[in-house]
Amino acid sequence: MTKLKPRHEIASQIQDIKTIICEIQEGVVRYGFSTSTSSEHSSTSTSTITKDNMWRDPRLASLFVGDDEVVGIESPKYELISTLVDQNQSQRAVISVVGMVGIGKTTLAKKVYDSQEVVAHFNCKAWIIVSQSNKPEDLLQTLIKKLSGIYVLPDEGIESLIVKLRGCLCKKRYLIVFDDVWETDCWGSIRHALPKNSEGSRVIITTQKEQVAAFCTETSVDHVHEL
């Protein structure tokens, strides 16, 4: 009898480890990470997995969370709204919302983005979901199409895209959200396309990585909001 309890505890710990491994494997599939065994899959199965991931992207679900399903974001929500619509700050400001996966960065940003105060305050706004495979050119093309409807050539260079987007935004009070930024290179290229006008424009970046948030904080009006 004295050995039963230790054996039971060991079995329980093993089960916990198996559960954690399953969760990690699900995360690998969900986010499209490559693994050492990926070479065993054919190109057809890889393509299928990629398509399935699009439908299982947890960020998509975060965009449609009802108010009655959200707990504990009222205070940061109104804090962010106040920052966005601050009439005393006319410079363009970048607000980085940083926190671990699943903590509610996308949900918080979307509630702020859709709030009546924010909708009424900005001339134009756009929400961009960033993936690890996105090139800056792809994001710029998407922004131009969403904000202006200007035709963009499929192979148009990044310099031309930057000029077009700056021309579209230079005299507007804009709000752009880049959801789930993974690398500093993404912002390093796109920032040049978002003019630092004096209209009170704002950029929100959500990220899991503190180094990305720090990199996006370039001036005294930029700041990091930690969840």
Side-chain angles (χ1 to χ4, degrees):
M1 292 295 290
T2 57
K3 295 182 179 181
L4 290 179
K5 186 175 181 180
R7 288 179 178 175
H8 175 74
E9 292 176 350
I10 292 172
S12 178
Q13 291 173 0
I14 292 173
Q15 185 59 46
D16 290 342
I17 293 171
K18 288 181 177 179
T19 301
I20 293 172
I21 292 173
C22 288
E23 291 175 352
I24 293 173
Q25 290 174 334
E26 290 174 0
V28 168
V29 174
R30 181 183 300 116
Y31 293 107
F33 296 141
S34 61
T35 67
S36 58
T37 59
S38 60
S39 59
E40 298 175 6
H41 299 281
S42 66
S43 59
T44 303
S45 63
T46 302
S47 175
T48 303
I49 290 174
T50 302
K51 292 178 181 179
D52 289 343
N53 288 344
M54 294 173 62
W55 295 107
R56 293 187 298 192
D57 192 333
R59 295 172 300 181
L60 185 62
S62 300
L63 300 179
F64 301 99
V65 177
D67 291 337
D68 58 338
E69 301 175 77
V70 180
V71 178
I73 71 166
E74 287 304 306
S75 178
K77 172 185 173 182
Y78 288 115
E79 182 180 341
L80 282 178
I81 290 175
S82 297
T83 301
L84 295 182
V85 303
D86 184 3
Q87 298 281 7
N88 297 320
Q89 183 52 263
S90 60
Q91 297 182 56
R92 188 205 73 184
V94 179
I95 298 96
S96 299
V97 181
V98 61
M100 61 187 293
V101 63
I103 202 169
K105 300 182 297 295
T106 298
T107 300
L108 171 61
K110 191 62 166 62
K111 292 300 179 184
V112 170
Y113 182 84
D114 290 336
S115 67
Q116 293 181 357
E117 299 94 326
V118 168
V119 171
H121 184 74
F122 292 94
N123 302 136
C124 62
K125 58 193 187 85
W127 182 286
I128 304 295
I129 296 179
V130 182
S131 73
Q132 294 184 75
S133 60
N134 277 141
K135 297 179 180 179
E137 293 90 335
D138 298 333
L139 300 176
L140 291 174
Q141 287 181 352
T142 302
L143 265 175
I144 292 171
K145 292 174 183 177
K146 284 190 173 186
L147 295 172
S148 69
I150 298 174
Y151 178 73
V152 179
L153 294 172
D155 57 348
E156 193 159 348
I158 190 168
E159 294 86 356
S160 176
L161 294 171
I162 289 174
V163 170
K164 283 185 176 181
L165 190 55
R166 288 183 66 89
C168 173
L169 297 176
C170 64
K171 295 183 179 180
K172 293 182 179 179
R173 182 189 297 141
Y174 62 83
L175 169 64
I176 311 294
V177 178
F178 295 100
D179 184 34
D180 206 9
V181 177
W182 283 78
E183 303 294 342
T184 56
D185 290 347
C186 175
W187 176 247
S189 300
I190 290 176
R191 62 182 175 179
H192 303 296
L194 305 175
K196 295 181 179 180
N197 57 28
S198 58
E199 303 294 330
S201 298
R202 302 286 186 263
V203 179
I204 295 178
I205 291 172
T206 72
T207 181
Q208 300 176 32
K209 299 186 176 182
E210 293 182 0
Q211 62 266 36
V212 171
F215 183 80
C216 296
T217 306
E218 302 173 300
T219 69
S220 58
V221 299
D222 303 334
H223 72 273
V224 177
H225 185 95
E226 295 186 11
L227 286 182

